[in-house]
Amino acid sequence: MKTTLVNFFVNGKEYTLSVGNLFGQLLPNEVLVDTLRNRFGLTGTKIACKDGACGCCTVLIDGEAVPSCEVLTVDCEGKHIVTIEGLAAPDGTLDPVQQAFVDYYAFQCGFCTPGIIMATKALLNKNPRPTREQIQDALSGNFCRCISHYHVLEAVESLVKKGEQPA
């Protein structure tokens, strides 16, 4: 019997999973957010709508902001995935985007914050000098029920003004 393997990287660490229906195997219909949270313990990626509409589960896949509830893990062959846990430096120093969110209190309950930070990271990696409209457009798929969006915009614009270049 042939075994199908899926090989990908999460926060720089390589993972190889066997695909199948046996105990411990990656189910063919398992979505990435479940793999990240349940297999790897990366619970910073949140589950909310499971429909790709709220942005809480946003991760970077090869640099693109993607709702991980909409991605089958078996489709991640060879991909490089970054979660909120992968942004900080090994010594614990926060990524400039994370630090700006702290500095500007750009969160309330914090549930949606990891997804918004990941979408911001993808935006600034591609466009270090976005306009307010471009920021709003990039974050339009992320919803915060606590209404912290004004602080989020201030945090992102502070990075643009400082000229911070995301790593």
Side-chain angles (χ1 to χ4, degrees), residues 31-79:
V31 292
L32 183 58
V33 67
D34 290 334
T35 302
L36 294 171
R37 291 180 58 84
N38 301 333
R39 292 181 184 272
F40 305 151
L42 299 171
T43 57
T45 304
K46 303 301 183 197
I47 298 173
C49 70
K50 276 210 147 188
D51 197 24
C54 71
C56 289
C57 66
T58 300
V59 298
L60 303 183
I61 299 179
D62 292 340
E64 298 288 331
V66 176
S68 59
C69 70
E70 292 289 298
V71 177
L72 293 174
T73 305
V74 295
D75 291 337
C76 292
E77 175 63 34
K79 305 285 186 187

Side-chain angles (χ1 to χ4, degrees), residues 87 94-101 103 121 159 164-167:
L87 289 186
L94 295 178
D95 180 90
V97 176
Q98 293 172 305
Q99 188 61 56
F101 274 61
D103 293 345
K121 185 74 177 172
L159 292 166
E164 292 279 353
Q165 296 296 320

